[in-house]
Amino acid sequence: MTDLLEALMILCFGFSWPISIRKSWISRTAKGKSLFFEFFIWIGYIFGIIRKFLLISAGKGDGWLFYLAFFFYFLNLIEISIDMGLYFRNVKLDKAKEA
């Protein structure tokens, strides 16, 4: 049951990142974004992935829900990395607009 809840939590977070990526892409501005905030979420995903690796190495990683949550940690990490990359692009665009 705990693996199901974890997978659902990560899945919900995973649905929000494409929305954020789209907004970053279309708005073409970094205003209203916090790289500091996104960095700490990114670190949280890293810790979640490390936890999963530790459970696997201890022989406690079993079941498809366990691996589904593991997959979503990686997917979310990729999505937030894209959003963070767009932040840097948008900072450049903001500076160009100001100049």
Side-chain angles (χ1 to χ4, degrees):
M1 181 63 154
T2 58
D3 288 336
L4 173 63
L5 293 173
E6 180 182 23
L8 290 172
M9 177 196 70
I10 297 300
L11 179 66
C12 289
F13 287 147
F15 282 133
S16 66
W17 288 119
I19 295 166
S20 182
I21 290 168
R22 182 178 184 278
K23 183 179 177 188
S24 294
W25 182 261
I26 291 172
S27 71
R28 301 178 64 86
T29 183
K31 294 175 182 165
K33 284 285 202 179
S34 171
L35 185 61
F36 186 72
F37 175 76
E38 287 190 340
F39 176 74
F40 276 99
I41 294 172
W42 189 88
I43 291 294
Y45 288 136
I46 295 292
F47 289 147
I49 290 168
I50 291 169
R51 178 183 174 271
K52 290 291 186 185
F53 275 123
L54 292 173
L55 288 172
I56 290 169
S57 67
K60 296 179 182 177
D62 60 349
W64 67 275
L65 286 172
F66 176 88
Y67 290 102
L68 182 65
F70 196 38
F71 168 76
F72 281 117
Y73 274 114
F74 278 107
L75 181 62
N76 289 351
L77 187 69
I78 291 167
E79 290 173 330
I80 194 168
S81 296
I82 291 168
D83 202 35
M84 290 169 73
L86 287 171
Y87 173 86
F88 289 109
R89 178 202 76 156
N90 290 344
V91 165
K92 281 185 179 180
L93 291 173
D94 286 340
K95 288 180 181 176
K97 284 177 194 174
E98 291 173 8

